[in-house]
Amino acid sequence: MSRIGKKPISVPSGVKVNLDPKTRQIVIEGPKGKLEYEYRPEVDVTWEEGENAIVCTLPEAKAKIRQMRAYWGTVRARIQNMITGVTEGYSKKLEIIGVGWNAKPQGKNIQLNIGFCHPVDMIPPAGVEYVIEGNTVTISGPDKQAVGQFAADIRSKRPPEPYNGKGIKYKDEIIIRKQGKVFGA
């Protein structure tokens, strides 16, 4: 049985939950924003207003199938991440390392000067914001997936390389440096 799927999801005050079991749509609205999710048809989601909790269940016949238990835990985790997102939000920090490399706002877009002959423009998805402080870009928003994907897209434009250490990396990422060529050894 899924251990994470069994846990009820507590909903803090100030968060509105709208659940439609017919369309399998859940809408969670809080101080940081509004998120929607269409959950899997194998999993039953119920909103218990008296206990202020959301409960995910799996029918007994489906509980014996490994793939169904995986769906159960995934649906529960996605809903928990939505509640955390609308109350606290998510953020990722990126560092741009390279001589003359930087990022600057260009309207709503972010413009990266990262060693190419042309600047690279990145368009943030809806609900995702960014702040540039020196060579650090902080990406934040209520949707964990959108924040992580936008950070990964920025990083993919110039991933860090192991010889000089230049590139775009996550703030807590450690780049293992390689030794260059040794002549006359």
Side-chain angles (χ1 to χ4, degrees):
M1 297 299 271
S2 172
R3 285 180 271 200
I4 195 75
K6 290 179 188 177
K7 292 182 178 180
I9 306 164
S10 63
V11 179
S13 61
V15 174
K16 294 179 189 172
V17 176
N18 187 3
L19 179 67
D20 187 5
K22 290 181 182 170
T23 60
R24 300 184 330 271
Q25 191 81 14
I26 185 165
V27 179
I28 297 178
E29 195 171 350
K32 298 269 184 181
K34 176 181 176 181
L35 297 173
E36 297 180 17
Y37 174 55
E38 184 177 331
Y39 55 88
R40 298 285 309 192
E42 295 87 359
V43 181
D44 298 326
V45 178
T46 55
W47 163 236
E48 298 177 3
E49 290 187 50
E51 298 175 21
N52 222 17
I54 299 171
V55 178
C56 299
T57 55
L58 195 63
E60 192 63 38
K62 294 179 182 177
K64 305 234 184 290
I65 303 169
R66 182 182 181 131
Q67 187 69 41
M68 301 302 157
R69 291 193 311 264
Y71 291 150
W72 185 21
T74 301
V75 167
R76 193 251 179 225
R78 290 281 306 263
I79 295 171
Q80 176 67 53
N81 288 341
M82 290 170 64
I83 290 174
T84 305
V86 298
T87 54
E88 301 167 21
Y90 290 99
S91 69
K92 293 266 187 188
K93 288 189 178 208
L94 296 168
E95 285 182 339
I96 300 173
I97 301 169
V99 177
W101 293 12
N102 61 17
K104 57 186 169 188
Q106 195 76 24
K108 289 190 174 199
N109 301 344
I110 183 170
Q111 186 179 60
L112 303 171
N113 295 313
I114 48 176
F116 297 125
C117 62
H118 60 283
V120 178
D121 290 332
M122 300 289 297
I123 302 167
V128 175
E129 301 167 351
Y130 65 89
V131 176
I132 300 171
E133 300 160 342
N135 280 352
T136 303
V137 179
T138 304
I139 301 164
S140 59
D143 189 358
K144 185 177 186 178
Q145 193 273 334
V147 168
Q149 186 63 52
F150 187 55
D153 289 344
I154 290 175
R155 183 184 181 276
S156 72
K157 296 301 175 190
R158 197 61 112 132
E161 54 102 358
Y163 293 102
N164 296 329
K166 296 191 314 184
I168 301 172
K169 70 178 193 83
Y170 295 111
K171 185 81 170 175
D172 57 351
E173 184 178 10
I174 298 170
I175 305 301
I176 299 172
R177 302 288 293 268
K178 291 183 179 179
Q179 183 179 357
K181 290 184 179 177
V182 179
F183 294 105

